[in-house]
Amino acid sequence: MQEIIVVDFGSQYTQLIARRIREFKVYSEILPCNVSFSEIKKRKPAGIILSGGPSSVFEEGAPLIEREIFNLGVPVLGICYGMQLIAHLLGGKVTPAEKREYGKTILCIDDFSDLFADLSSESVVWMSHADKITEMPQGFIRLAHTENSPYAAMADRTRKIYALQFHPEVVHTQEGRKILTNFVFKICGCSPSWDMHSFVDKAVQDIKNKVAGHKVVCGVSGGVDSTVTAVLVHRAVGDALTCILVDNGLLRTEECRKVEQMLRNNFHINLKVVDASERFLRRLKGVKDPERKRKIIGGEFIKIFEEEAKKIEGVKFLAQGTLYPDVIESVSFKGPSATIKSHHNVGGLLKRMKLKLIEPLRELFKDEVRELGRELGIPKEILWRHPFPGPGLAIRCIGEVTQEKLEILRHADRIVLEEIKKAGLYNDLWQAFAVLPSIKTVGVMGDERTYEHVIAIRAVLSADGMTADWARLPYDVLERLSLRIINEVKGVNRVVYDITSKPPGTIEWE
């Protein structure tokens, strides 16, 4: 099987590179930046991509790679930090830029061969760097430039080494997909032969090999990720799987009942429902910090899984629906990327777990998980549910979580989903939900002064959850949402709409 290896130097976009390549139906896998030359050589990749990262080649302890990689005769593409590393290791000159280049800029192409074949002479690209190449290594030629970067792209075609100062993997780079397509097919000579069917076969076999006849428990919530995980693991181990649905008191209206019915009736999976709502609320009492909330909730989940697993003879594994955006926003396990926030799947694990972990989706993005779900025969209405955070409504209830605040939030959230669906917008949005900020405002209702809660509505568009834009909901929809929430949800006298994109904000408020 042909493979493009992505070497991770800690960029928040590293997994996007592999994802884009998989979209071309070519297998791609991420390896840490400390991967040995012998390991890369053994894998016989069709191509190698060096990712971006937050480091500077001037820093003490900056991540490097063995120079022998450039003598394999395998095409190499360096992106951002990867480009600077190529220049640094091969005798070029990298200097701190007088003007940091961040965001969109115009790329001017000087050479339309191979990497830039069939591209426009000028196009928008996404930059994110404070250093730049001021002198190319011997044997390299300039392929493109920007106003601030004299060498925004360069190549040594004899050694098949290419480098870009910008990020072709992000959607902000207009012709980024075409650039990556040219590298994968024109330069590396790959053919589009990998698909989700191949992934299923490999994942099922990997799970069988890892489990080796033991039993597995899987935490389920009814969301896309946990459902696909459960069905995939069930395909591999059958009745050796027991799913555990924890009612943590932080779910949406009637969520637990609907999930239980769906898993039992549709998939005939062994399911145990645990009512732990009082336990979670007791642990969250007085807690306001979002990181503490996430870690408390994650820790309680794992404790409950372990407690329930003890009641099932032969259980040695815990399956989770962790996706790569969860991992990379918590901390990179493959490279030195920066922490943004913890996710309960990875940030709340106990230091001394008694169960071994199975995370078959941790290299996938949400759209890939949905494609995988289709391959597994999971109904569309389940696959296209909006993402719901593992910590549940706790991170949409800003500040301390109480039963009263949760009831207000549940009611408002139900109205948001009802109106979004009624307007035919649900499938167009990545997520739509209500948030309960920790503030009250003055209002007038029935000629009397009120001092009650605010509900914020959040609706975003996204392809993968890594970046997102706020949705331009029609005014009449926003008006209906405001009227219904204020009239029907006791304790609310104001509704606001969040128009923040990601970045700079995250999709969830906490």
Side-chain angles (χ1 to χ4, degrees), residues 219-246:
V220 293
S221 65
V224 177
D225 308 336
S226 63
T227 300
V228 172
T229 299
V231 175
L232 181 61
V233 174
H234 186 257
R235 178 171 290 195
V237 304
D239 290 340
L241 169 69
T242 298
C243 288
I244 298 174
L245 171 60
V246 178

Side-chain angles (χ1 to χ4, degrees), residues 323-334:
L323 304 193
Y324 194 78
D326 298 340
V327 176
I328 202 168
E329 285 195 340
S330 300
V331 62
S332 176
F333 281 72
K334 298 177 184 257

Side-chain angles (χ1 to χ4, degrees), residues 284 287-298 391 394-401 510:
L284 290 168
V287 178
K288 297 180 180 180
D289 180 72
E291 280 295 288
R292 280 197 64 205
K293 284 187 197 176
R294 288 176 175 273
K295 290 180 179 180
I296 286 171
I297 293 166
I395 59 168
R396 295 177 181 175
C397 184
I398 311 305
E400 183 180 6
V401 180
E510 289 192 339

Side-chain angles (χ1 to χ4, degrees), residues 93-321:
K93 190 173 182 181
V94 184
T95 60
E98 294 178 3
K99 180 182 177 184
R100 187 168 184 255
E101 202 169 17
Y102 180 83
K104 295 178 181 179
T105 191
I106 300 297
L107 180 77
C108 301
I109 297 177
D110 302 301
D111 187 319
F112 290 90
S113 303
D114 50 40
L115 191 62
F116 291 147
D118 303 320
L119 266 68
S120 306
S121 59
E122 293 186 356
S123 64
V124 174
V125 297
W126 182 264
M127 290 282 195
S128 180
H129 66 101
D131 298 336
K132 67 179 181 180
I133 313 299
T134 53
E135 186 177 319
M136 295 185 295
Q138 187 175 355
F140 280 76
I141 61 170
R142 184 171 81 172
L143 301 183
H145 66 278
T146 69
E147 183 178 355
N148 189 50
S149 295
Y151 306 108
M154 64 182 187
D156 178 343
R157 291 197 172 99
T158 301
R159 289 188 285 178
K160 302 179 183 176
I161 304 172
Y162 296 78
L164 305 171
Q165 185 59 77
F166 57 92
H167 289 271
E169 69 272 24
V170 302
V171 295
H172 309 295
T173 297
Q174 287 179 342
E175 297 186 286
R177 287 179 64 89
K178 183 62 178 175
I179 294 169
L180 290 175
T181 298
N182 285 339
F183 179 72
V184 171
F185 296 115
K186 288 182 180 295
I187 296 172
C188 297
C190 293
S191 57
S193 57
W194 182 81
D195 56 21
M196 200 52 69
H197 182 75
S198 305
F199 179 89
V200 170
D201 291 342
K202 183 177 184 299
V204 166
Q205 191 58 51
D206 287 347
I207 294 168
K208 285 181 179 179
N209 293 341
K210 186 170 185 177
V211 171
H214 296 291
K215 291 184 180 179
V216 184
V217 287
C218 178
V220 293
S221 65
V224 177
D225 308 336
S226 63
T227 300
V228 172
T229 299
V231 175
L232 181 61
V233 174
H234 186 257
R235 178 171 290 195
V237 304
D239 290 340
L241 169 69
T242 298
C243 288
I244 298 174
L245 171 60
V246 178
D247 184 356
N248 59 9
L250 306 171
L251 302 176
R252 290 171 289 197
T253 304
E254 295 191 333
E255 186 85 354
C256 190
R257 182 186 62 80
K258 292 175 182 176
V259 171
E260 182 178 5
Q261 186 178 37
M262 178 266 294
L263 288 174
R264 290 192 195 279
N265 295 346
N266 288 28
F267 303 109
H268 309 290
I269 291 174
N270 294 330
L271 177 68
K272 182 167 187 179
V273 180
V274 182
D275 185 356
S277 53
E278 291 185 9
R279 175 172 171 174
F280 276 86
L281 288 175
R282 186 167 59 249
R283 289 281 286 114
L284 290 168
K285 186 176 182 179
V287 178
K288 297 180 180 180
D289 180 72
E291 280 295 288
R292 280 197 64 205
K293 284 187 197 176
R294 288 176 175 273
K295 290 180 179 180
I296 286 171
I297 293 166
E300 286 303 305
F301 266 115
I302 301 303
K303 287 178 184 177
I304 291 170
F305 291 151
E306 287 190 310
E307 290 167 8
E308 295 302 321
K310 288 178 182 178
K311 303 172 186 177
I312 307 170
E313 187 177 351
V315 169
K316 290 195 175 180
F317 293 90
L318 167 65
Q320 283 194 158

